[in-house]
Amino acid sequence: MDTHLAAAKPVEGSNRTGAHVFAAALKRHGVEMIFGQSIPSALFLVAPEFGIRQIGYRTENAGTAMADAYARVSHKVPVVTAQNGPAATLLVAGLAEALKASVPIVAIVQDVHRKQTDKNAFQELDHLELFRGCAKWIKRVSEVERIDDYVDMAFTAAASGRPGPAVLIAPIDLFNDVPAPGGGERVASLGQFPLDRVAADPARVREAAALLASAKAPLVIAGGGIHLSDAADELAALQNRASLPVATTAMGKGAVDERHPLSLGPVGYFMGTGGRTRHLRPMVEDADVILLIGNRTNQNGTDSWSLYPKTARFIHLDVDGQEIGRNYEALRLVGDAKLTLAALAEAMEGEDLSARQAARPAVETQIAAGLAAWKDDVARAIPMDAAPVRPERLMRDLDSVLTPDSIVVADASYSSIWVANYLTSLKPGMRFVTPRGLAGLGWGLPFALGAKCARPDASVFALVGDGGFAHVWSELETARRMGLNVVVAVLNNQILGYQKHAEKVLFNDYSDVCDFAAVDHAAIARACGCAGERIETPDAFLPALQRALAAGTSTVLDIVTEQRAHPPVTMFEGNARLNY
């Protein structure tokens, strides 16, 4: 049976309302849970009849982040809901992150009664205009008989091509309408992504294979598109068969096993002193052929477009043809990464790979030496036993207990960079989930909850700063109520770290908002019915982490960390203003 086909049993008789039609359509698309608070109530009241669970967030922005991480980990298109007006506006930030990060989400927004449209009904808003800049598809369904049509369109839009958010606006009275009898039963299921896999032009694939085979210093830089396409195994096969060194972006973290002798690690704007790939920067700058995969060539990933060499030949593989050539003119491979990488590996078998194989030992030696030099840098420069605690020490201890099936999520800002630099991907496809589309604060905890919904048997660890965690403390209650057990480590340095350090570098001063009053996040966790431990010395972290991972509840580890500690951001390199 086609995996896109799965019938949902409809509710028969006069009790079949628009809410039942909605729920049946969602079930048909494989939806098992909906991230929603209380609206649309009619939908949530009938959802259990279809085996659909409600994940009740406390705020819509956090609920959208939960849906985002659920999609990234499960490869299922999630559904998030909101009421019209202010609740709908809180979806915007999460949908914007998903749009930029190419993550599919279907948002169902309840609107005012159809008879009250344009009469200044309570919390009425022009939602079509509201979502125009943060969704790839926005429509309003106005007839109960068209619900299936529009739900199918929403899932198709979200999951096809370059994935992204689709918003379906539904008036409140539509959920109580009774559809006319008749009409064929639908069976198409469109809730997995990528929905349609199409490989790049075979002629261009062969051209790319020839370029890579003949290159003197080729390099692959894999972005988040590897994970979206579930193409990690294909990339690993190409890495091995063609003896190609592979680096990743921050979103591409986990695309390859970083213990592989041909794996560099993440490259971008965090290659300063203490950066994992600092000593491997010449491998990027001296590359003559660079294969970009699912890589937006954005500012952070390219160190403000200064990292990639101007003289290199670029091959760019992406499902979105508009991304190819945006910043670097390239041989165009427009297509799905999984299929196209498999085709590229096959095409390279027809090339003479003797030069690649002959160069492999020297490349592996260069990578090993660069990583060894990084470890030496860290050992010399970072006081691992200092208190307040250094984040590098926490990452070292966390790295020692991770398994290939662990899921690590991070908030934006410093947290994402600590994770990218100091944790090790243990297999192709290991999941490190970070908000790098727009990189707004407050995603860490809801990301963890969404990832846990997707893989309830996996251990989920979230790294957040005290600034970002303050956005979403309330979702600790969600974790407890919904039985979503995660571990959250709060880097409590009482500052808005990136902002304060950047202002020091740029202005040799900083604004008042950069400093926080003292907060006991462990006490907040306990007040919400979760576990909470306060950590003030480095030796206390690993035992507390092990207890948290073994616990049957969510745990917050509130860690007093060094204010002056910062990741290896290149703009901070050697700046004496940070020695305050």
Side-chain angles (χ1 to χ4, degrees):
M1 180 179 179
D2 190 321
T3 57
H4 290 175
L5 301 178
K9 183 179 179 181
V11 176
E12 303 293 344
S14 60
N15 289 329
R16 187 170 184 263
T17 65
H20 292 97
V21 178
F22 257 112
L26 298 179
K27 182 67 174 179
R28 173 165 55 86
H29 294 307
V31 174
E32 298 172 338
M33 58 189 70
I34 300 174
F35 297 89
Q37 195 173 68
S38 58
I39 304 295
S41 299
L43 175 59
F44 284 118
L45 289 171
V46 305
E49 300 176 34
F50 295 83
I52 298 175
R53 180 189 182 196
Q54 179 182 4
I55 303 296
Y57 53 70
R58 296 299 294 261
T59 62
E60 284 76 12
N61 50 359
T64 315
M66 293 177 200
D68 181 326
Y70 176 87
R72 298 192 202 200
V73 173
S74 71
H75 275 268
K76 297 177 181 178
V77 179
V79 174
V80 65
T81 67
Q83 187 178 355
N84 52 288
T89 67
L90 291 175
L91 296 179
V92 168
L95 295 181
E97 164 69 27
L99 180 69
K100 295 293 288 185
S102 306
V103 177
I105 296 175
V106 169
I108 298 175
V109 177
Q110 179 179 285
D111 207 352
V112 300
H113 196 292
R114 282 170 288 183
K115 291 183 179 180
Q116 298 172 349
T117 300
D118 295 328
K119 296 182 69 174
N120 284 334
F122 182 60
Q123 297 184 335
E124 183 179 14
L125 188 66
D126 185 346
H127 296 104
L128 291 170
E129 196 63 33
L130 171 69
F131 294 113
R132 198 172 304 280
C134 65
K136 63 180 288 194
W137 182 95
I138 316 144
K139 295 290 181 181
R140 187 175 190 269
V141 56
S142 58
E143 303 295 332
V144 69
E145 288 82 11
R146 298 295 308 279
I147 289 174
D148 271 311
D149 293 343
Y150 280 88
V151 170
D152 285 11
M153 283 189 270
F155 276 85
T156 300
S160 62
R162 178 177 181 170
V167 180
L168 181 57
I169 300 164
I172 185 172
D173 54 308
L174 190 73
F175 292 94
N176 295 320
D177 266 9
V178 177
E185 181 179 327
R186 300 195 181 204
V187 295
S189 182
L190 309 169
Q192 298 274 345
F193 72 96
L195 182 59
D196 309 300
R197 293 189 185 272
V198 180
D201 182 342
R204 288 181 172 169
V205 171
R206 290 192 295 271
E207 187 178 348
L211 272 175
L212 289 167
S214 61
K216 293 182 178 179
L219 179 67
V220 178
I221 306 178
I226 288 288
H227 295 297
L228 294 169
S229 178
D230 195 21
D233 288 341
E234 285 71 20
L235 176 58
L238 179 66
Q239 181 182 38
N240 274 317
R241 292 165 73 178
S243 300
L244 292 173
V246 177
T248 72
T249 65
M251 283 190 70
K253 175 83 173 178
V256 291
D257 185 338
E258 289 178 337
R259 301 167 301 174
H260 191 288
L262 287 173
S263 294
L264 283 71
V267 298
Y269 73 122
F270 39 68
M271 297 172 72
T273 300
R276 185 186 192 98
T277 52
R278 179 193 179 205
H279 297 282
L280 297 174
R281 190 178 183 108
M283 291 193 69
V284 183
E285 295 173 332
D286 297 339
D288 62 342
V289 175
I290 297 179
L291 170 61
L292 305 171
I293 308 169
N295 179 339
R296 291 177 296 156
T297 64
N298 64 2
Q299 182 174 9
N300 287 348
T302 61
D303 199 6
S304 295
W305 305 284
S306 68
L307 176 61
Y308 296 1
K310 292 181 173 57
T311 57
R313 288 287 308 275
F314 288 90
I315 305 164
H316 199 160
L317 165 56
D318 203 286
V319 72
D320 182 357
Q322 293 184 77
E323 286 299 330
I324 298 173
R326 179 189 289 273
N327 294 309
Y328 300 92
E329 188 173 289
L331 172 62
R332 300 172 59 83
L333 298 181
V334 181
D336 171 69
K338 189 179 185 72
L339 290 186
T340 303
L341 286 175
L344 181 59
E346 183 177 351
M348 292 202 73
E349 292 292 340
E351 299 290 331
D352 181 1
L353 297 178
S354 58
R356 297 270 49 76
Q357 293 161 355
R360 180 166 180 162
V363 173
E364 291 181 353
T365 298
Q366 184 179 4
I367 293 172
L371 295 177
W374 161 64
K375 292 179 181 178
D376 288 343
D377 288 348
V378 172
R380 286 196 306 271
I382 307 302
M384 291 292 191
D385 296 326
V389 184
R390 294 285 306 203
E392 297 93 338
R393 167 65 183 267
L394 304 179
M395 295 296 94
R396 187 190 74 182
D397 289 350
L398 173 61
D399 206 36
S400 72
V401 301
L402 292 179
T403 73
D405 295 320
S406 299
I407 298 175
V408 177
V409 309
D411 210 332
S413 194
Y414 280 177
S415 296
S416 292
I417 312 175
W418 292 125
V419 164
N421 269 280
Y422 291 97
L423 298 182
T424 306
S425 173
L426 302 175
K427 70 174 181 180
M430 186 173 174
R431 287 321 319 260
F432 298 86
V433 184
T434 56
R436 307 306 300 171
L438 281 184
L441 286 178
W443 265 253
L445 173 57
F447 259 14
L449 299 181
K452 189 68 174 181
C453 287
R455 282 182 48 194
D457 295 333
S459 65
V460 179
F461 176 93
L463 184 72
V464 303
D466 50 351
F469 191 51
H471 289 239
V472 287
W473 288 339
S474 59
E475 301 303 337
L476 288 172
E477 187 277 333
T478 301
R480 179 191 178 193
R481 173 168 36 88
M482 305 306 303
L484 302 171
N485 299 328
V486 298
V487 178
V488 182
V490 181
L491 302 178
N492 187 353
N493 56 12
Q494 290 187 215
I495 62 171
L496 199 58
Y498 209 154
Q499 189 67 28
K500 184 170 185 176
H501 294 155
E503 289 182 9
K504 284 284 291 180
V505 167
L506 294 172
F507 307 109
N508 199 26
D509 199 357
Y510 55 90
S511 51
D512 291 345
V513 74
C514 292
D515 286 335
F516 300 142
V519 174
D520 187 339
H521 303 93
I524 292 172
R526 292 192 295 270
C528 293
C530 301
E533 290 196 43
R534 177 90 164 180
I535 296 168
E536 298 182 352
T537 59
D539 59 305
F541 173 68
L542 184 56
L545 174 63
Q546 292 169 330
R547 287 191 295 272
L549 291 171
T553 186
S554 287
T555 302
V556 171
L557 304 176
D558 188 33
I559 308 158
V560 179
T561 51
E562 168 60 57
Q563 282 196 4
R564 289 173 294 181
H566 59 80
V569 178
T570 52
M571 71 171 286
F572 295 168
E573 186 74 2
N575 196 296
R577 291 178 174 179
L578 294 179
N579 298 324
Y580 61 93

